[in-house]
Amino acid sequence: MVNNVNFKKGTTQIHYPKGTVFEFFVLCHGMLQLAQLLVSGYLKSSISTIERRYGFSSQKSGILASFNEVGNTLLIVFVSFFGSRVHRPRFIGGGALVASLAALTMAMPHFISGPYEYTDHISRKSHTQINTQICKNSSYLLLQMNSTLLPTSTWQGVFPLLLLGQLLLGIGSVPIQPFGISYIDDYASKRNSPLYLGILLAVTSIGPAFGFMMGSFMLRFYVDIDKKSKVEITLERQDPRWVGAWWLGFVVAASFLFLTSLPYLFFPRQMPKEKAGDLIGRQMRTLPSNIFFPLPGFPRIALRTLRNPIYLLVVLAQVNLAALVAGLATFMSKFIERQFTQTASFSNIMIGGVSIPMAVLGIVLGGALMRRLNIPTRGSALICVTAILICLFTAMPLLLLGCSTQRVAGIYPTQPKTLACSSECSCPSEAFNPVCGSDGVEFVSPCQAGCKNKILDDNNSKVLNYTDCGCIDVNGSYGYALPGTCGSSCKHFLLPFMVFSALTCFIASLSQTPSYMMILRTVKPEDKSFAVGVQYMLFRVLAFLPTPVLYGTAIDTTCILWGKKCERNTSCYYYNMDLFRQRFLGLQLFFICGAFVCFLLSFLVLRHREGQQVQQAGQGYVMVDGEKSPDNTSCK
Ligand SMILES: *[C@@H]1O[C@H](CO)[C@@H](O)[C@H](O)[C@H]1NC(C)=O
């Protein structure tokens, strides 16, 4: 694992100014990891926007979100195989360049597809607007509709392109962390190594928050900000059809990745070792990313590790928590958007500014606690069990903090059907331009509401008011309708929701370090890097890969009105909010329960073992703390 041999062989006594090149390497590596996490965090922050822009189902966006793990999982084995025999800085730089290219690929669909089109957008250049504005009982509208909906075939290539971007991103990030960490660990002084690795770990855990914050910033701009002038942008940010400039963040991140990759092309293959006192041992060598498999003796080590029940149980518990995090990270912003009628931009602030910092705080505090108190393995298990149990109780109220879908005429609470009052209006079925009637009922479009007139603003670019609406009956006369959704009237639940979910994040994260300590202490020192490698492989295969797809599929089952474009389903217009909440949070509770059971079992096994040890050590010794389990006598 350690590359001292190579170092001795290849040294050509170059004398760098004391430590500076190496410190520069650590700095660069911090920046690079930040850039890398920026991309993945940003993708998750913009996924609901991409979904809407290109008409994906949530299942599709789940596949997209987890697709980088495919490239990553396939190639990580090679990294373990090459170990440190390669020119590590160049591999890292190359990986970063690939990742930068990947981010550009992700932004590409924006440049090759035409401008974003939605129902009733007011286009000055062409006649391609789909006009559902008002109720006209004539058939020319339908003819016009059919001819204008045809040239929208570009969007079919978008999904493969995004997948390719994600695949490249996964491939590019393969060498970055493992090679970086092993390089630092090889050439840092024993004294500084934990410090450097600690800094990198901190960067790694806070990185995604920057991604979400960047998402929040970018999604405030309109998607076609580069193609349209300001007066042409007539959508409001609160409009359910609003699409932010999702691609902008990928361009920024690609540039950042490109810049951080450059120094790596100049770092030497080997470095003189930093000189400093050997006060602290290299405790950090078994960091998560250090997954170099020791090839000789592999089967024996594998068998020995996998037969360790504590190891398996703790890893399974962590897999449950990782599944929870993967699903949350991908769809939490969509959940907040829909459930509390917030913009994508605002939802991302909640995640990047509240949820992630609370989780990081939990991890740090859990670590500090473990360091201070020198807690034994059984104590660690107890901490984990307690933390996850409390989590169950803080996550439960979340199920109650929400509202049903607002009343939408002909869609909710009734089954989707055409409205009799506007059946004469020849409203196109694909139209989505929600309006809120003066009686408080929402309509999918002003046409569906039977509105016959509209009042425009001074520029003639925005509709302010739809009037004479045949479907809206206010005291026997026709009512009016205002553009935009009525909203879920649930905004007041946002604050308690965020409080409870932040609390859940915080408490769950407390278990992170204790559970790692359990793994490191129950596995033989020489098996540690294998154990950590397997652990991360299981995270990928059992949690990061499948759960976003699982969550997406679950969310799709709660859709009550799918968007349609050229007879195909696009993204969901209306969800049954109660089902959405129950299934989304229900999955979370399921994973929390899974983690709880695994931690509890590991605690029981540990207690059982210690009971045995006590029995073996002191013959005839009677345990006084009343923890003797009845089956102590039956097993040896
Ligand atoms: C919309 O028009 C109706 C009927 O003309 C009017 O009563 C209502 O006040 C208008 N609402 C707004 C917000 O302009």
Side-chain angles (χ1 to χ4, degrees):
M1 192 175 85
V2 190
N3 193 24
N4 288 336
V5 187
N6 253 352
F7 172 66
K8 277 172 206 149
K9 237 190 285 176
T11 317
T12 45
Q13 295 302 324
I14 317 161
H15 286 285
Y16 295 97
K18 219 175 179 180
T20 43
V21 173
F22 191 72
E23 274 159 21
F24 184 57
F25 182 88
V26 177
L27 177 74
C28 285
H29 206 67
M31 299 299 268
L32 178 56
Q33 290 207 349
L34 190 67
Q36 184 201 343
L37 290 161
L38 198 67
V39 186
S40 52
Y42 182 77
L43 172 78
K44 295 191 168 87
S45 78
S46 57
I47 206 139
S48 65
T49 299
I50 296 176
E51 203 174 280
R52 184 176 300 161
R53 170 67 179 89
Y54 293 107
F56 298 154
S57 62
S58 291
Q59 187 183 45
K60 258 187 164 178
S61 36
I63 295 174
L64 180 61
S66 61
F67 209 71
N68 64 330
E69 299 294 338
V70 173
N72 213 308
T73 311
L74 289 178
L75 279 180
I76 202 89
V77 181
F78 286 97
V79 174
S80 354
F81 185 73
F82 284 125
S84 39
R85 276 170 289 180
V86 294
H87 193 303
R88 283 175 285 179
R90 277 201 198 137
F91 263 70
I92 297 171
L97 283 177
V98 172
S100 162
L101 192 71
L104 272 187
T105 312
M106 304 281 292
M108 202 60 82
H110 171 73
F111 299 103
I112 55 177
S113 57
Y116 172 51
E117 295 186 337
Y118 51 87
T119 313
D120 294 336
H121 68 279
I122 296 170
S123 161
R124 283 165 192 223
K125 273 183 236 141
S126 62
H127 301 286
T128 56
Q129 62 170 305
I130 307 164
N131 198 336
T132 64
Q133 297 269 22
I134 43 178
C135 172
K136 289 178 184 148
N137 52 1
S138 54
S139 52
Y140 88 94
L141 194 70
L142 278 178
L143 280 173
Q144 188 199 2
M145 281 269 322
N146 286 339
S147 60
T148 55
L149 278 175
L150 285 178
T152 48
S153 50
T154 40
W155 64 289
Q156 282 178 16
V158 166
F159 191 61
L161 202 57
L162 289 172
L163 284 186
L164 177 71
Q166 274 283 72
L167 189 72
L168 282 178
L169 191 64
I171 292 172
S173 34
V174 165
I176 295 178
Q177 225 199 3
F179 280 154
I181 295 215
S182 74
Y183 193 78
I184 290 173
D185 192 44
D186 280 359
Y187 300 125
S189 64
K190 282 182 185 171
R191 184 202 185 107
N192 284 343
S193 183
L195 172 71
Y196 292 149
L197 297 177
I199 291 172
L200 289 185
L201 203 63
V203 168
T204 310
S205 40
I206 204 72
F210 282 99
F212 278 96
M213 288 317 237
M214 184 162 86
S216 162
F217 181 71
M218 299 300 181
L219 295 179
R220 300 168 69 87
F221 300 105
Y222 184 67
V223 56
D224 287 327
I225 194 169
D226 58 331
K227 295 174 187 161
K228 283 188 169 179
S229 63
K230 217 169 179 180
V231 279
E232 284 179 295
I233 300 167
T234 53
L235 272 187
E236 303 283 334
R237 278 194 203 116
Q238 288 76 23
D239 196 297
R241 295 167 297 166
W242 170 269
V243 168
W246 60 272
W247 51 276
L248 209 53
F250 288 115
V251 175
V252 170
S255 323
F256 190 26
L257 271 169
F258 180 74
L259 288 179
T260 46
S261 76
L262 293 180
Y264 284 89
L265 307 178
F266 303 103
F267 282 118
R269 183 176 174 143
Q270 278 121 23
M271 277 204 192
K273 203 166 172 59
E274 260 194 330
K275 285 196 186 72
D278 285 353
L279 291 177
I280 306 170
R282 292 195 191 180
Q283 304 236 325
M284 301 290 275
R285 184 170 302 148
T286 38
L287 261 187
S289 47
N290 221 349
I291 59 153
F292 300 130
F293 289 4
L295 288 173
F298 182 84
R300 191 168 39 84
I301 295 173
L303 206 67
R304 192 162 63 198
T305 311
L306 294 176
R307 277 173 57 194
N308 178 346
I310 302 292
Y311 171 78
L312 277 185
L313 282 170
V314 174
V315 167
L316 271 184
Q318 288 185 340
V319 162
N320 273 290
L321 293 178
L324 173 80
V325 169
L328 266 189
T330 317
F331 290 113
M332 174 89 156
S333 78
K334 186 189 177 89
F335 181 80
I336 294 176
E337 257 172 68
R338 294 297 184 128
Q339 203 78 40
F340 306 109
T341 328
Q342 299 292 342
T343 60
S345 172
F346 182 83
S347 313
N348 286 323
I349 293 185
M350 290 292 108
I351 297 167
V354 181
S355 306
I356 299 180
M358 284 306 270
V360 172
L361 195 68
I363 293 175
V364 170
L365 225 73
L369 209 75
M370 291 300 289
R371 213 189 140 115
R372 227 350 112 67
L373 301 180
N374 197 20
I375 294 167
T377 313
R378 203 176 110 181
S380 308
L382 194 59
I383 290 179
C384 293
V385 173
T386 320
I388 302 300
L389 185 65
I390 297 173
C391 263
L392 266 177
F393 287 106
T394 50
M396 219 82 91
L398 295 177
L399 276 171
L400 305 174
L401 297 171
C403 318
S404 307
T405 313
Q406 67 271 25
R407 282 171 63 203
V408 185
I411 289 165
Y412 189 86
T414 52
Q415 293 295 313
K417 62 165 196 275
T418 44
L419 298 170
C421 52
S422 55
S423 57
E424 305 280 279
C425 299
S426 23
C427 303
S429 60
E430 303 190 342
F432 181 60
N433 174 18
V435 292
C436 188
S438 51
D439 57 352
V441 177
E442 189 166 324
F443 290 84
V444 178
S445 70
C447 179
Q448 295 252 312
C451 302
K452 297 193 180 60
N453 285 308
K454 60 186 175 191
I455 300 170
L456 294 173
D457 71 348
D458 298 339
N459 294 332
N460 276 1
S461 60
K462 274 182 207 167
V463 178
L464 297 176
N465 200 344
Y466 296 95
T467 53
D468 302 316
C469 304
C471 294
I472 305 169
D473 180 28
V474 182
N475 303 328
S477 62
Y478 288 164
Y480 61 94
L482 301 178
T485 167
C486 294
S488 70
S489 69
C490 229
K491 289 188 179 174
H492 57 290
F493 278 143
L494 180 65
L495 186 67
F497 178 86
M498 283 316 297
V499 169
F500 276 105
S501 72
L503 214 61
T504 313
C505 282
F506 174 72
I507 297 168
S509 314
L510 282 176
S511 73
Q512 162 102 348
T513 313
S515 63
Y516 269 110
M517 297 311 289
M518 282 167 76
I519 289 184
L520 295 181
R521 282 192 194 149
T522 49
V523 170
K524 281 186 191 300
E526 61 268 32
D527 300 352
K528 271 182 194 170
S529 66
F530 172 79
V532 177
V534 168
Q535 177 191 14
Y536 268 72
M537 198 60 106
L538 288 178
F539 277 17
R540 289 216 163 82
V541 177
L542 297 179
F544 297 146
L545 256 173
T547 40
V549 188
L550 179 72
Y551 270 83
T553 313
I555 290 173
D556 282 344
T557 61
T558 67
C559 184
I560 42 181
L561 182 70
W562 285 98
K564 286 253 191 302
K565 204 171 189 180
C566 315
E567 307 286 303
R568 288 154 154 268
N569 274 6
T570 60
S571 49
C572 185
Y573 287 158
Y574 289 103
Y575 290 99
N576 181 329
M577 284 304 170
D578 292 319
L579 286 182
F580 186 172
R581 188 173 59 253
Q582 282 155 16
R583 293 192 184 159
F584 182 72
L585 298 175
L587 268 175
Q588 286 181 45
L589 281 175
F590 173 79
F591 287 125
I592 297 179
C593 285
F596 175 70
V597 170
C598 293
F599 276 135
L600 186 68
L601 283 176
S602 70
F603 173 72
L604 292 178
V605 172
L606 278 170
R607 201 176 68 167
H608 177 74
R609 272 192 190 170
E610 278 174 26
Q612 274 184 323
Q613 278 163 8
V614 168
Q615 264 197 345
Q616 280 164 8
Q619 298 112 346
Y621 177 75
V622 183
M623 283 168 62
V624 261
D625 58 353
E627 285 189 352
K628 201 168 85 175
S629 60
D631 52 357
N632 262 356
T633 44
S634 58
C635 347
K636 284 175 187 170

